[in-house]
Amino acid sequence: MKMARYFFLILMLTALIQVSAQSFNGTWKGVLTVGPQKLTLILHVSEAERSAKLDVMEQGAKGLPLTVNVMENDSLNVVMTQIGLHYAGRLRNGVIEGTFSQNGFTTQLIFNKGEVVLKRPQEPKTPFPYRVEEVKFDHKEANVTLAGTLTFPEGYKEGQKVPVVLMVTGSGPQNRDEELMGHKPFLVLADRLARHGIASLRYDDRGTGLSTGDFSSVTTAALATDALAGIKYLRGLKKFSCVGILGHSEGGSIAYMLGAGGNADFIVSLAGPACKVDTLMMLQLNKLSRLQGAKEDVAHNVSETRQLLLSQDGGPWMKAFLNMDFSQFLKSVKCPVMALGGSNDLNVPAEFNMKVLKSKLPSNSKDFIKIYPGLNHLFQHSSTGNPLDYVNIEETMSEEVMNDVCTWINKVTNTHH
């Protein structure tokens, strides 16, 4: 009888210890359902600092600061007033159960303890079977120094002439790997190129990573001069047989701009706009909004498109970008061009873009123009093309696309492996 009583006491004490040991400290993950979309929210909580931060994985948002109203016992109440966000929850059995609300939208949201681990099977791991150098090059006119990684091909010997590509990122401040949603497309691609005998230089955009300068004031034209400084740097090394440019998205358009100036020996444009930007943005806005449940177009003409985009971003880049017509550069491109798109690319709709490209680009038997079925803007396999899916797709870039790029570059530069 006595034994049973002690056993009961021990059980009670254990339960009490478990309750008191419950803590909000650490990382929590939850899935928020908003109409057809699912968003992965990561909550970082420090009881010692009485602070909370939020990541929204699918949107690439990290470390959004939350104001803590309540964080005691089993209650948590946090807000972000500038976007009308509010979350109130209780900690029970190691799980935070609560209510999420934002601007009139309310839903239940449960957070479980733990980190989200992203699988990126294509990402190369050190040691690499090739030489990699950290380099810097100056763009004196802009008073900018750009930092990057020069990757030599596998088996490279000093004095050997090999082709090289300068890699130019898409829009927005991006690092040399074009890091986005846990993916590093340019790191993966540089690795693939090196294993196929092709050198590459990828660099941090100005004002990003280890590069100097101010990104907030740049335009596409200014970014093109940064890329030109990279081309000149590569030519100045006198190590390479051919110097080409490989750009993604806006970087793919910069490739056309530099090609028109006779600065590249070949061009690889991955989903690079080759048309009037305002028309392209109208298509993009309408495709993306329909994906989010809109029943009709949000922009019915170019004028509405401009108005809508400039109301969200009136900065120098957007103003200049909306006035760009990249098709004007195509007629002056004399070097071989590889232009690729994905049929499920909602950012740069491939069918429309390639039609303009084919009508304006001078005929060249070495050109390679292709739309890959089922690929999105990052050249991942995606049934919807929804940018919110980028983070949840393990593939960084289609194997077929990467192999086609390597094969084509070696063919047009007459490199044999």
Side-chain angles (χ1 to χ4, degrees):
M1 188 66 193
K2 213 172 201 180
M3 197 68 186
R5 190 184 299 160
Y6 285 140
F7 184 63
F8 180 64
L9 265 173
I10 289 165
L11 277 177
M12 277 184 66
L13 282 168
T14 307
L16 280 168
I17 289 162
Q18 282 177 341
V19 168
S20 63
Q22 283 204 124
S23 161
F24 287 109
N25 259 336
T27 302
W28 303 81
K29 53 190 175 184
V31 177
L32 180 70
T33 304
V34 188
Q37 312 292 352
K38 288 192 185 303
L39 298 177
T40 310
L41 305 187
I42 314 289
L43 194 61
H44 304 279
V45 183
S46 167
E47 287 187 341
E49 295 174 9
R50 198 180 158 79
S51 71
K53 289 180 178 174
L54 186 69
D55 302 342
V56 187
M57 287 184 58
E58 288 78 3
Q59 296 176 347
K62 287 186 175 179
L64 303 172
L66 298 167
T67 303
V68 177
N69 291 334
V70 178
M71 189 191 289
E72 56 198 18
N73 301 327
D74 64 348
S75 296
L76 180 70
N77 188 307
V78 292
V79 296
M80 197 186 302
T81 46
Q82 59 269 48
I83 60 168
L85 183 154
H86 180 253
Y87 180 73
R90 282 184 180 275
L91 184 54
R92 291 195 183 97
N93 303 319
V95 174
I96 308 173
E97 297 175 353
T99 304
F100 173 96
S101 60
Q102 187 177 9
N103 300 327
F105 168 78
T106 301
T107 187
Q108 295 304 110
L109 177 59
I110 293 170
F111 282 101
N112 291 288
K113 197 77 177 271
E115 305 270 353
V116 171
V117 180
L118 299 173
K119 292 196 180 97
R120 299 290 181 252
Q122 291 172 308
E123 203 165 294
K125 303 285 183 287
T126 54
F128 303 132
Y130 44 78
R131 196 171 111 207
V132 171
E133 278 180 19
E134 295 297 299
V135 300
K136 288 187 175 179
F137 57 95
D138 292 324
H139 177 188
K140 290 193 168 65
E141 294 81 4
N143 194 25
V144 164
T145 299
L146 298 150
T149 302
L150 182 58
T151 303
F152 289 91
E154 194 171 351
Y156 175 81
K157 292 179 181 63
E158 204 60 51
Q160 182 185 352
K161 295 288 187 185
V162 295
V164 66
V165 291
L166 180 81
M167 303 172 87
V168 186
T169 66
S171 56
Q174 295 197 289
N175 67 19
R176 65 192 72 185
D177 296 331
E178 204 190 29
E179 194 168 343
L180 183 75
M181 309 298 177
H183 288 284
K184 297 177 180 177
F186 279 8
L187 170 65
V188 171
L189 196 47
D191 175 79
R192 187 60 55 95
L193 291 165
R195 292 169 192 271
H196 284 77
I198 302 158
S200 65
L201 171 60
R202 61 190 199 277
Y203 62 96
D204 300 327
D205 290 342
R206 67 163 85 176
T208 309
L210 298 176
S211 294
T212 66
D214 173 23
F215 193 88
S216 65
S217 60
V218 299
T219 59
T220 306
L223 292 171
T225 65
D226 289 351
L228 182 56
I231 294 269
K232 287 177 177 173
Y233 167 75
L234 289 171
R235 290 202 190 281
L237 292 177
K238 301 195 183 320
K239 288 178 184 288
F240 305 107
S241 58
C242 301
V243 180
I245 180 165
L246 180 153
H248 175 237
S249 199
E250 183 187 19
S253 300
I254 288 172
Y256 297 135
M257 293 168 77
L258 294 193
N263 297 297
D265 297 326
F266 61 91
I267 286 169
V268 179
S269 180
L270 304 175
C275 54
K276 279 175 68 73
V277 169
D278 52 11
T279 310
L280 182 80
M281 295 299 264
M282 181 176 73
L283 294 174
Q284 181 190 115
L285 275 174
N286 290 329
K287 282 177 180 287
L288 290 173
S289 58
R290 282 187 184 273
L291 195 67
Q292 289 162 13
K295 297 286 184 281
E296 57 179 60
D297 289 349
V298 292
H300 299 91
N301 52 50
V302 163
S303 175
E304 278 184 25
T305 303
R306 286 171 165 270
Q307 209 174 334
L308 195 60
L309 290 169
L310 290 170
S311 69
Q312 293 168 354
D313 176 4
W317 178 83
M318 181 60 84
K319 282 179 179 168
F321 192 60
L322 284 172
N323 289 328
M324 296 298 284
D325 178 3
F326 292 109
S327 68
Q328 66 173 319
F329 299 103
L330 300 175
K331 63 180 183 295
S332 305
V333 175
K334 302 286 191 292
C335 66
V337 172
M338 180 184 224
L340 310 182
S343 69
N344 289 346
D345 184 343
L346 303 183
N347 294 67
V348 181
E351 205 175 314
F352 170 77
N353 193 47
M354 292 305 196
K355 195 175 172 185
V356 177
L357 177 81
K358 286 175 179 173
S359 70
K360 302 281 187 181
L361 191 66
S363 178
N364 185 328
S365 61
K366 292 181 176 177
D367 288 352
F368 184 100
I369 298 167
K370 183 174 178 179
I371 298 174
Y372 293 79
L375 299 189
N376 63 16
H377 187 57
L378 296 190
F379 293 89
Q380 301 167 312
H381 286 86
S382 167
S383 57
T384 63
N386 190 343
L388 292 179
D389 293 341
Y390 292 164
V391 73
N392 297 311
I393 299 172
E394 291 185 10
E395 177 184 53
T396 294
M397 188 179 283
S398 153
E399 292 287 329
E400 185 187 358
V401 168
M402 289 195 288
N403 290 333
D404 282 353
V405 168
C406 295
T407 302
W408 183 81
I409 291 174
N410 280 326
K411 189 178 170 187
V412 298
T413 59
N414 298 314
T415 314
H416 302 289
H417 295 280

